[in-house]
Amino acid sequence: GAVVSQHPSRVICKSGTSVKIECRSLDFQATTMFWYRQFPKQSLMLMATSNEGSKATYEQGVEKDKFLINHASLTLSTLTVTSAHPEDSSFYICSARDSRQGVVTPLHFGNGTRLTVT
Amino acid sequence: KQEVTQIPAALSVPEGENLVLNCSFTDSAIYNLQWFRQDPGKGLTSLLLIQSSQREQTSGRLNASLDKSSGRSTLYIAASQPGDSATYLCASTNTGNQFYFGTGTSLTVIP
């Protein structure tokens, strides 16, 4: 089945540093990937839609200059948290759907990245 | 904007019991509805996807139903096992790309 690989699974960084999270579709192409954020005991909140070869679409309230998204190929999207602060500590999850099959196919998720900013 | 609600927020059942998780959504114009499982600190595992033209989907001990007109979906788990303990999330797709997630139901199956 379709697999989405997310790396790293855990990262601890100091305030002010930047962290890059990678999301790869391993056995399918994805022109669109999605980035979610999840706070403890809460559901997933869509942060942005990553579009291959063009700019990402950010949800209202998400700072595009803080959460940089790059979707340079059909199998890779990256989320960079710039100048991280403790309030950015959260669980970040990416997802993707096989572009060739469209909306009738399931959305597949990565295993998430636990970011802790000290 | 689509709003997805799940009831109950938490549920504890003894092993072997059948159970139903509920999901309701405000906008019935959906493309599909998907049920996920999330273990603590982990990502999401897709369980079942129901397309808007379908009424239900089954996989093993799981059965998901969809009633677009009433804005409801249910996930039925038969003969529950301790390994079923997890958070279950439903999500609807309206635009073909974006998912709207429910608040989740935390299930505990007691041995």
Side-chain angles (χ1 to χ4, degrees), chain B residues 26-106:
Chain B
T26 55
D27 186 350
S28 62
I30 62 172
Y31 279 109
N32 57 45
L33 187 134
Q34 195 166 349
W35 281 92
F36 298 89
R37 168 185 174 141
Q38 185 178 32
D39 292 287
K42 303 290 186 181
L44 276 67
T45 300
S46 177
L47 298 175
L48 290 166
L49 178 143
I50 310 176
Q51 298 178 29
S52 61
S53 59
Q54 298 174 326
R55 299 283 291 183
E56 65 177 339
Q57 283 286 326
T58 299
S59 176
R61 294 183 293 110
L62 305 180
N63 177 278
S65 68
L66 175 64
D67 185 344
K68 283 180 56 180
S69 61
S70 65
R72 293 180 183 177
S73 176
T74 61
L75 179 66
Y76 174 83
I77 302 177
S80 58
Q81 302 171 358
D84 294 332
S85 298
T87 296
Y88 290 81
L89 296 162
C90 67
S92 70
T93 303
N94 288 40
T95 66
N97 272 329
Q98 295 181 345
F99 263 45
Y100 295 93
F101 278 89
T103 46
T105 294
S106 178

Side-chain angles (χ1 to χ4, degrees), chain A residues 5 10 17 19-21 37 45-46 49 53 58 68 72 76 78-79 82 85-86 90 95 99:
Chain A
S5 174
R10 290 180 179 272
T17 61
V19 174
K20 179 184 286 188
I21 303 170
R37 180 174 182 175
M45 297 298 295
L46 179 65
T49 302
Y58 290 82
L68 300 179
L76 173 65
T78 61
L79 169 67
T82 62
H85 290 106
S90 188
S95 67
S99 301

Side-chain angles (χ1 to χ4, degrees), chain A residues 34 38 43 59 97 103 107 111, chain B residues 32 38 43 96-99 102:
Chain A
F34 307 94
Q38 185 179 36
S43 192
E59 294 298 298
R97 180 186 282 120
V103 303
L107 198 64
N111 283 327
Chain B
N32 57 45
Q38 185 178 32
N97 272 329
Q98 295 181 345
F99 263 45

Side-chain angles (χ1 to χ4, degrees), chain A:
Chain A
V3 176
V4 175
S5 174
Q6 190 171 339
H7 179 81
S9 58
R10 290 180 179 272
V11 59
I12 300 174
C13 70
K14 293 184 178 180
S15 290
T17 61
S18 295
V19 174
K20 179 184 286 188
I21 303 170
E22 293 187 349
C23 180
R24 294 181 184 272
S25 56
L26 298 186
D27 55 358
F28 64 96
Q29 294 180 338
T31 55
T32 305
M33 293 185 178
F34 307 94
W35 288 95
Y36 294 84
R37 180 174 182 175
Q38 185 179 36
F39 291 104
K41 298 185 179 181
Q42 295 187 27
S43 192
L44 281 73
M45 297 298 295
L46 179 65
M47 297 176 64
T49 302
S50 171
N51 303 299
E52 187 267 336
S54 64
K55 292 182 179 180
T57 304
Y58 290 82
E59 294 298 298
Q60 189 173 7
V62 178
E63 299 176 58
K64 60 181 65 175
D65 293 332
K66 180 166 188 61
F67 299 99
L68 300 179
I69 291 174
N70 184 283
H71 194 152
S73 76
L74 288 171
T75 59
L76 173 65
S77 174
T78 61
L79 169 67
T80 301
V81 183
T82 62
S83 187
H85 290 106
E87 57 264 33
D88 298 325
S89 298
S90 188
F91 192 56
Y92 294 85
I93 307 178
C94 70
S95 67
R97 180 186 282 120
D98 191 330
S99 301
R100 295 164 297 180
Q101 300 187 45
V103 303
V104 298
T105 57
L107 198 64
H108 299 279
F109 284 78
N111 283 327
T113 297
R114 173 71 61 191
L115 170 63
T116 303
V117 184
T118 60

